[in-house]
Amino acid sequence: MASIRNANPATTPGTRTASLSEKSSDFDRKEDLSLSSDSDNTYDPDAGASDEERAAIDAALLKRLDWKLIPWLCVLYLASFLDRANIGNAKIEGLEADINITGTQYNIALSVFFISYSIFEPLSNILLKRMRPSIYIPLIVIAWGICTVLLGIVKNFSHLCAIRWFLGMAEAGLFPGVNYYLSCWYKRSEFGIRAAIFFSAAAISGSFGGLLAAAIAKMKGVGGLPGWAWIFILEGIATVLLGIASFWLVHDFPAECTFLADDDKVRVLRRLKEDKQASAGTEEFQMKYLYQSLTDWKTYTACLMYMGVDGALYAFAIFLPTIIKELGFTATKAQLLSVPPYVLACLITIATGFYADRLKQRGIFNLLLPLFSIVGFTLLLVQSKPAVSYFATYLCALGIYPCISNTISWVSNNVEGVYKRGVTIGVFIGWGNLNGVMSSNVYRKADAPHYRLGHGVVLGYLVVGLWGGSAINWLLLKRENRLRAEGKRDHLVEGMNEEEKLGLGDVRPDFRYML
């Protein structure tokens, strides 16, 4: 891990003002803030402080992290989701007719995005770690912003597919990258609400996107361009500007960031160690971490859960405006009516993150919330009344959006080791997003206005993937915790020293999985 001796001198309220050079000589002889097995003897910036003082310092530090890390990342994800889903808004403004493509070709263009997105996601977290977030994230934001602008000048099917491919490649690093990044800053019981707030930007973008598209589409004819072209161009330019600003507003990992003083960096790493994240910020990449992830059953239950919810998410996000329009509303009204379900989804997503952290239980939410979506898609499947169908979209949103961030938090909480966690997050999110190919092709134009094939397939994803995968994951985690409590995993660490035990990550017998 990199040395932190040249860190920003600013510090959290209540921090002692002495510099590191004035601290104990034992700490001075250390080259970094390694959280290895002997780290209990490293410098403690709060030595001698009372429990109340420590709690106050910790609360101030956590508040500072939240304000420095979360808001800007939410803005970037809002832009990301807006730029991948605005093709649905462009469609109902005449994209297909203007560039002379069929419904099947439109679906292929949607699929192309998810293929490149999924291919590059598993690698993105390794690149994020090696290149530093403050460089990697701004670069990919600028790249996908340029791709979005180019979508506004496409002339045919080939142009559309090519640009959607590169859009997926550029966006691949943000969502898994930020979730991995945040998991390296917060305790397991604190991560859920932050992940939920971050992901709620997707729901906000759904509502914001509908309103924005309705307004921008009125520019039809300006510069000789159709309204849908201006949706891509203006949103893409805004994203490029956000990417440029990100060079100053995205921060690096705890040990290398510049907005924390030396003492606060020690505190962040100590908090993670106390939370059994013993390798936080200290590992160097080795192939064994890739092997550990790919041979861990939790990686595959994560894939099952996430394919179930992600397939449903993209079907909902991309086709909601079309579904509403087919109920008999005009294009503009369909854009506007797509807003309220997203507002509900945003509120429930944040509430789920908050209560899951408070209760330290995530599985129960993944078992209860999908029931709403299952009822919603069942209503869409079996009846045709516009009012009932529109009500069903609220149920669909309520059960899908909260389970995205909750699933990511649940999996992240139960994988120890920064590189193993990074690989695992990249793998299961990448696999989940590959199922966007399904979402792009089961809502066929020939099935309008009721889209029963699409609704039926998505319903199967929710029942088998999200709900079924969550049930399997919860039962296996509970069983493993019981076996560890009974001492039936103690043989795994026999003859090992402390450093070797820490190297086992979440396989350590003293590590308890969050249910």
Side-chain angles (χ1 to χ4, degrees):
M1 180 174 33
S3 172
I4 63 163
R5 295 192 178 280
N6 295 321
N8 189 318
T11 187
T12 300
T15 303
R16 289 162 174 75
T17 57
S19 68
L20 285 182
S21 62
E22 296 167 331
K23 306 296 182 179
S24 69
S25 59
D26 287 341
F27 181 73
D28 288 336
R29 285 193 295 267
K30 291 187 178 290
E31 294 182 355
D32 57 29
L33 294 178
S34 175
L35 290 177
S36 61
S37 60
D38 65 349
S39 63
D40 290 339
N41 298 320
T42 58
Y43 158 68
D44 180 2
D46 303 317
S50 66
D51 290 343
E52 292 78 9
E53 290 173 329
R54 283 179 176 269
I57 291 171
D58 193 61
L61 174 62
L62 194 59
K63 183 177 181 180
R64 189 170 185 213
L65 296 182
D66 287 341
W67 281 108
K68 281 288 187 179
L69 303 177
I70 305 298
W72 189 251
L73 294 175
C74 288
V75 170
L76 295 183
Y77 190 55
L78 187 152
S80 168
F81 210 85
L82 197 65
D83 289 344
R84 82 182 63 167
N86 56 12
I87 191 171
N89 302 114
K91 177 188 178 186
I92 66 173
E93 296 295 342
L95 169 67
E96 289 177 310
D98 286 349
I99 64 172
N100 194 30
I101 62 172
T102 65
T104 299
Q105 288 176 319
Y106 172 80
N107 289 344
I108 292 172
L110 295 183
S111 302
V112 164
F113 170 89
F114 293 108
I115 293 171
S116 63
Y117 192 88
S118 302
I119 289 172
F120 289 97
E121 272 187 317
L123 302 175
S124 64
N125 286 347
I126 295 174
L127 291 174
L128 176 71
K129 179 70 175 173
R130 298 180 75 90
M131 289 181 64
R132 297 168 45 201
S134 62
I135 300 298
Y136 182 67
I137 291 178
L139 288 178
I140 64 173
V141 174
I142 292 171
W144 93 62
I146 292 172
C147 290
T148 304
V149 171
L150 293 176
L151 284 171
I153 58 173
V154 296
K155 301 299 182 184
N156 53 48
F157 174 62
S158 298
H159 292 169
L160 184 63
C161 285
I163 297 173
R164 289 284 294 181
W165 170 272
F166 287 108
L167 179 67
M169 182 188 302
E171 284 202 25
L174 187 75
F175 187 63
V178 169
N179 280 284
Y180 163 53
Y181 170 76
L182 291 178
S183 73
C184 295
W185 280 93
Y186 293 98
K187 290 183 178 180
R188 292 189 293 165
S189 60
E190 299 165 347
F191 179 54
I193 182 62
R194 277 90 186 168
I197 291 172
F198 170 65
F199 180 69
S200 67
I204 294 172
S205 76
S207 59
F208 183 72
L211 292 170
L212 189 60
I216 295 176
K218 296 185 181 301
M219 293 180 65
K220 180 179 180 180
V222 176
L225 296 174
W228 59 263
W230 283 111
I231 292 175
F232 289 127
I233 292 169
L234 293 186
E235 292 178 4
I237 291 172
T239 297
V240 171
L241 295 176
L242 293 176
I244 294 171
S246 295
F247 283 110
W248 291 272
L249 295 171
V250 172
H251 303 283
D252 291 322
F253 290 102
E256 296 86 20
C257 73
T258 58
F259 75 90
L260 287 180
D262 296 340
D263 285 358
D264 284 341
K265 292 179 182 180
V266 174
R267 292 186 180 102
V268 170
L269 295 175
R270 277 187 172 277
R271 294 176 86 253
L272 298 177
K273 180 174 181 290
E274 290 166 0
D275 195 45
K276 302 297 184 183
Q277 299 186 57
S279 59
T282 67
E283 292 178 346
E284 294 296 329
F285 179 72
Q286 300 177 48
M287 288 302 295
K288 72 174 184 179
Y289 299 124
L290 177 63
Y291 175 80
Q292 287 175 352
S293 175
L294 296 180
T295 56
D296 189 341
W297 60 266
K298 299 193 300 298
T299 301
Y300 300 99
T301 54
C303 287
L304 181 59
M305 291 186 290
Y306 204 71
M307 70 174 282
V309 69
D310 224 28
L313 170 74
Y314 285 120
F316 185 83
I318 293 173
F319 289 97
L320 180 61
T322 300
I323 291 170
I324 294 176
K325 184 182 177 183
E326 294 292 347
L327 296 178
F329 299 105
T330 64
T332 299
K333 195 166 185 178
Q335 303 277 27
L336 297 176
L337 285 175
S338 69
V339 173
Y342 287 116
V343 174
L344 175 65
C346 177
L347 296 175
I348 300 301
T349 297
I350 294 173
T352 298
F354 176 81
Y355 285 107
D357 279 355
R358 177 71 61 89
L359 299 173
K360 297 185 179 180
Q361 295 281 333
R362 305 206 189 280
I364 189 65
F365 292 95
N366 260 34
L367 292 171
L368 293 179
L369 288 171
L371 300 179
F372 290 97
S373 289
I374 290 169
V375 172
F377 277 100
T378 299
L379 288 174
L380 290 172
L381 182 64
V382 302
Q383 59 78 50
S384 305
K385 296 179 180 178
V388 176
S389 296
Y390 183 60
F391 169 73
T393 64
Y394 285 83
L395 297 179
C396 295
L398 192 156
I400 292 172
Y401 280 82
C403 289
I404 292 284
S405 56
N406 192 61
T407 299
I408 292 170
S409 299
W410 196 17
V411 176
S412 299
N413 286 169
N414 291 323
V415 179
E416 161 59 0
V418 291
Y419 273 111
K420 180 185 176 184
R421 187 188 308 132
V423 171
T424 299
I425 291 174
V427 167
F428 82 81
I429 291 181
W431 168 248
N433 281 310
L434 186 59
N435 287 272
V437 175
M438 174 280 299
S439 306
S440 304
N441 289 281
V442 296
Y443 282 87
R444 304 177 305 178
K445 196 170 185 177
D447 297 327
H450 303 304
Y451 297 104
R452 288 195 165 86
L453 172 64
H455 297 328
V457 172
V458 172
L459 185 60
Y461 264 67
L462 288 167
V463 173
V464 178
L466 178 55
W467 195 90
S470 297
I472 293 170
N473 196 59
W474 187 85
L475 290 170
L476 291 177
L477 291 175
K478 186 176 182 180
R479 175 180 180 272
E480 186 61 27
N481 279 348
R482 176 178 57 80
L483 293 174
R484 293 181 182 194
E486 294 172 354
K488 295 182 179 179
R489 294 289 187 257
D490 291 349
H491 66 279
L492 296 174
V493 295
E494 289 179 358
M496 289 186 175
N497 58 38
E498 287 302 312
E499 185 174 353
E500 291 171 330
K501 291 177 183 178
L502 291 176
L504 292 176
D506 55 83
V507 179
R508 299 194 322 268
D510 66 334
F511 187 95
R512 293 295 182 270
Y513 293 121
M514 181 177 285
L515 300 179

